[in-house]
Amino acid sequence: MRTMGGEQVEEAVASAVALLRTAVDRDWETARAGRLEWSCRYTAEHVAGDLIAYAGQLAGRATDAYVPFEITFDEGTDNEGVLHVIETTCALLAATLRTTPREVRAFHPYPYRSANREGFASMGIAEVFLHTHDIAEGLGLAYEPPARLCADVLARLFPHVQPGPDPWRTLLWATGRGDLPGRAPVTEWRWRNNLVIPAERLTLQGVTPAAATDLAAGGDGGFEWVGSGPFQGTRDAATMLLKAYEGGVHRPEWGVFALVRREDGRAVGGMGFHGPPDEDGRVEIGYDLAEAARGHGYATEALRALSAWALAREEVTSVFATTEPANVASQAVITRAGFTRVAGDEGQDEGQLAYELRG
């Protein structure tokens, strides 16, 4: 799986600074940065502030708020000095990303109040790309960041946005900075780090389109798996997620979750929804476990946690699950999680047993 880490942040900053360095003799203080209300100078300082803030969140293991600090520039700092600060804060973020364990999450408000190192790397790159675009527009410069990195940012931070043939134009459109044929202009936006739902021994970690792409292709999705890796059901679910993403109908909170053990950070299975709630408020759940993780109650624990999360949503009235009559182990998981057997309905495959949990 392609990673998002220190190397990618350094690549993004290097290309941006190289362009801006061609205009250090210009007046950045009076030039407005594109569609923003900020000057080009203030926008550049904002980039440096974001990079060091993200490093601070991870290094400080902040869980409830931003670490209460900010950087200031010495009086008389020129444009070249501002770029030097951006390069320096980039180096600090890159170093932090390289030394932060995968399972560490730190506070960020959008939208689920946390992000892991990959999320902070992606946000750092997005800040660099988007605000370099703003500055370049204000100064009359042409800017085109690497398409590969733009696609990676979209697949991690904009899972609700249908990808387009041009990742950079899609990213600009998704953040209210451009137009795309056939799509309405964007006036309000937020990126979305993945949802993580806590359980007793597990965390249920939302699978991003980037991870789903790798899982569907036979990779590990960026997770360390027990045994021989994810069961086929998890790969099939990732394929369905990917199709929804490519079709522009993916709702990440109703997607797929990797079940990750707290004690060692290893994934033991997958669980997720077949889609968002229907018009009756019913949502269906499916799951599987890697063979090496079966018999420890992980599936029951995860099913309870994910069902409780779903039933806490206003649009959900019931959670639905089906299993084969011969799959006694799966039936035991469902009943231990509090589900009760119900009669089959029109949407149920013939020969399956149906179970429901109501709020």
Side-chain angles (χ1 to χ4, degrees):
M1 178 178 174
R2 285 208 309 241
T3 59
M4 288 289 268
E7 181 179 342
Q8 289 70 35
V9 172
E10 289 169 338
E11 179 184 353
V13 169
S15 65
V17 168
L19 173 69
L20 297 179
R21 191 157 270 140
T22 66
V24 291
D25 58 340
R26 305 273 294 278
D27 181 2
W28 291 13
E29 193 64 63
T30 59
R32 178 175 167 179
R35 304 183 185 188
L36 302 181
E37 297 296 332
W38 300 343
S39 70
C40 290
R41 164 76 176 214
Y42 180 84
T43 304
E45 293 180 359
H46 173 80
V47 171
D50 279 338
L51 295 176
I52 193 62
Y54 294 161
Q57 291 303 95
L58 286 174
R61 304 293 195 263
T63 57
D64 299 317
Y66 283 109
V67 178
F69 78 99
E70 61 182 3
I71 60 172
T72 58
F73 288 72
D74 290 342
E75 186 176 350
T77 300
D78 59 11
N79 294 336
E80 177 61 38
V82 173
L83 295 182
H84 189 197
V85 175
I86 291 176
E87 291 172 322
T88 303
T89 54
C90 165
L92 293 171
L93 176 57
T96 303
L97 293 167
R98 292 187 175 106
T99 56
T100 300
R102 185 198 177 281
E103 289 305 300
V104 169
R105 297 187 72 85
F107 173 82
H108 189 277
Y110 307 137
Y112 305 118
R113 302 184 67 80
S114 74
N116 61 9
R117 64 186 185 191
E118 188 173 80
F120 279 105
S122 301
M123 289 187 289
I125 292 169
E127 291 284 356
V128 170
F129 284 171
L130 295 172
H131 288 316
T132 300
H133 163 80
D134 298 332
I135 298 169
E137 194 171 58
L139 297 176
L141 304 174
Y143 177 60
E144 185 89 17
R148 169 182 52 82
L149 285 181
C150 294
D152 286 344
V153 167
L154 287 166
R156 287 166 172 83
L157 295 182
F158 295 87
H160 54 295
V161 171
Q162 183 178 18
D166 187 328
W168 176 227
R169 308 298 165 211
T170 303
L171 182 59
L172 290 176
W173 170 81
T175 57
R177 289 172 167 83
D179 300 318
L180 278 184
R183 303 197 196 186
V186 172
T187 56
E188 294 184 3
W189 63 275
R190 294 288 189 203
W191 54 49
R192 300 185 182 183
N193 283 289
N194 64 325
L195 171 64
V196 174
I197 299 172
E200 183 179 353
R201 296 171 297 165
L202 306 169
T203 57
L204 284 63
Q205 301 183 13
V207 173
T208 66
T213 299
D214 190 62
L215 285 168
D220 58 17
F223 299 95
E224 183 181 350
W225 293 84
V226 298
S228 58
F231 199 61
Q232 186 58 41
T234 298
R235 298 197 187 280
D236 293 341
T239 300
M240 294 173 58
L241 186 159
L242 189 58
K243 289 180 179 178
Y245 172 62
E246 292 172 345
V249 295
H250 176 50
R251 291 179 61 185
E253 65 271 31
W254 302 109
V256 182
F257 297 80
L259 313 182
V260 180
R261 227 163 31 194
R262 291 180 184 272
E263 66 180 31
D264 58 6
R266 302 184 75 185
V268 299
M271 183 174 291
F273 301 102
H274 290 199
D278 63 19
E279 62 275 10
D280 296 320
R282 189 178 74 169
V283 64
E284 185 172 355
I285 283 182
Y287 57 89
D288 67 17
L289 287 183
E291 292 186 16
R294 296 173 186 173
H296 300 282
Y298 293 136
T300 301
E301 178 182 325
L303 185 56
R304 286 173 178 159
L306 190 57
S307 298
W309 182 88
L311 289 170
R313 314 274 78 75
E314 290 186 2
E315 65 267 41
V316 176
T317 59
S318 66
V319 181
F320 187 73
T322 62
T323 185
E324 300 289 341
N327 194 341
V328 177
S330 181
Q331 295 165 37
V333 167
I334 294 172
T335 55
R336 283 196 299 268
F339 286 66
T340 57
R341 178 87 177 274
V342 296
D345 65 10
E346 186 178 342
Q348 179 185 329
D349 291 340
E350 185 177 353
Q352 288 192 325
L353 304 180
Y355 294 81
E356 186 179 49
L357 180 65
R358 299 191 67 84

